[in-house]
Amino acid sequence: MESPRTRRHHDGSPSARTLALTVLGEYVRYPGDQRVAAGAVVGALGACGIGDAAARRALGRLTQEGWLRSRRAGRHTQLVLEPRLIRLLTAWTHRLERAVDPTPWNGEWQQLLLRPPADAWRERPLVEQQLAFEGFGSLGAGLWCAADPGGVPALKGLLREQGLAPHALWLTCRAEDDADLVGRTWELGDVRRAHEGFLARFGDRAGQVQGPEAAFVARTRLVHAWRTTFERDPRLPDALLPHDWPGRAATRLFVDAWRALRAPADTYWRQLTFGVKPLASSDSDG
């Protein structure tokens, strides 16, 4: 499950491409759709401060790279999500849904022993990125572990796609000292700072905005920031986290704000999709 290349601007703000993926995931794939009017995505990015030209370039690159397919629908252009983008956005959605609930814990760790021969290890950075995304940390020598079992099915699918399944051994185990295992596997200081940054950015008023457009922008930026935050979080159970862990407060903030913003943001998205809100003249062909 390859990921499209994304980047951030020098000031830390998301690029047009990165924000487009968030829009496609949150407003197209999350409701179960597979296609969308190109003009709706351009309008959505415009509301978030991305100019039309930059938005169209980002969608053009995603199309050229095979993540999207364009087709004419009357006078307009539709974007169709290709199967691999559907798989990627679905995985993001599942990970986001797991990130708002406590990790179930019965004392067992998920383990993966992955030692493929060099000629089979074609996409090592991709595989290691996805392992980290699903909460797995490296213990070295091809051994990975996680407390959260929720990502195992997606990872098994990835290893099959990459031809690595014959070289993977999945195990469960119990550690003599769970705290020692956590300390050896993850740098929780970095994860703490990510959650603290999310709290500082969005504060207690994240869901308190006026009007559908403002709610749409706030929800889009909230979801985007939350995804980049939980990508760094190994999803350890409460029993293995400090009592003052900021991830708990960050999760409550995200859930409360998302629920408050959902309905008005969806209203604005429907306006973009069905043309209730007129788009700029440059969008007439998109």
Side-chain angles (χ1 to χ4, degrees):
M1 183 166 52
E2 182 186 0
S3 297
R5 296 186 302 277
T6 59
R7 63 179 185 275
R8 300 177 70 85
H9 294 306
H10 60 83
D11 62 356
S13 62
S15 69
R17 173 200 293 263
T18 308
L19 205 57
L21 291 169
T22 295
V23 168
L24 293 170
E26 180 71 0
Y27 300 101
V28 181
R29 189 61 206 146
Y30 177 65
D33 297 329
Q34 299 184 24
R35 61 191 63 192
V36 62
V41 181
V42 172
L45 295 177
C48 295
I50 305 293
D52 282 10
R56 292 183 185 281
R57 282 196 300 271
L59 295 176
R61 288 195 297 271
L62 289 171
T63 301
Q64 291 169 5
E65 293 168 4
W67 298 100
L68 296 169
R69 173 167 46 89
S70 64
R71 47 170 272 180
R72 299 297 298 180
R75 296 184 302 109
H76 304 287
T77 300
Q78 275 193 337
L79 298 173
V80 181
L81 278 59
E82 294 287 18
R84 62 177 182 153
L85 184 56
I86 291 175
R87 289 196 299 271
L88 174 69
L89 297 179
T90 301
W92 282 1
T93 297
H94 290 168
R95 180 70 169 87
L96 187 151
E97 290 172 341
R98 297 204 322 274
V100 301
D101 293 321
T103 298
W105 178 244
N106 62 2
E108 286 190 341
W109 292 91
Q110 308 297 312
Q111 281 194 331
L112 168 63
L113 183 62
L114 183 62
R115 294 177 179 171
D119 59 352
W121 199 229
R122 300 187 305 273
E123 297 284 351
R124 181 167 185 162
L126 165 66
V127 174
E128 292 183 345
Q129 176 188 13
Q130 289 302 120
L131 281 164
F133 177 75
E134 295 293 357
F136 278 74
S138 174
L139 287 166
L143 183 62
W144 297 75
C145 74
D148 179 14
V152 172
L155 289 170
K156 286 183 176 180
L158 171 64
L159 295 180
R160 284 195 299 270
E161 289 178 9
Q162 295 291 316
L164 297 176
H167 311 291
L169 178 63
W170 292 93
L171 305 163
T172 59
C173 73
R174 291 181 180 269
E176 182 176 356
D177 187 335
D178 290 323
D180 181 60
L181 177 59
V182 170
R184 291 172 180 267
T185 309
W186 294 282
E187 178 47 70
L188 291 187
D190 292 340
V191 185
R192 175 185 287 273
R193 284 187 287 275
H195 283 300
E196 289 173 343
F198 182 86
L199 287 166
R201 178 178 176 185
F202 291 97
D204 296 329
R205 299 178 60 83
Q208 301 178 19
V209 297
Q210 298 295 320
E213 182 174 0
F216 176 84
V217 173
R219 175 178 161 189
T220 303
R221 295 200 179 281
L222 180 84
V223 169
H224 185 84
W226 182 241
R227 177 169 62 80
T228 59
T229 298
F230 72 64
E231 281 177 348
R232 310 177 196 179
D233 193 329
R235 292 258 306 135
L236 297 175
D238 279 345
L240 301 181
L241 292 169
H243 71 279
D244 63 343
W245 184 245
R248 300 185 185 99
T251 300
R252 287 194 300 271
L253 170 63
F254 171 77
V255 171
D256 291 345
W258 187 88
R259 287 174 175 168
L261 295 166
R262 180 180 186 180
D266 281 346
T267 295
Y268 186 75
W269 175 250
R270 285 193 296 271
Q271 290 175 348
L272 290 174
T273 302
F274 296 110
V276 175
K277 178 181 175 62
L279 298 180
S281 59
S282 60
D283 288 335
S284 60
D285 64 348

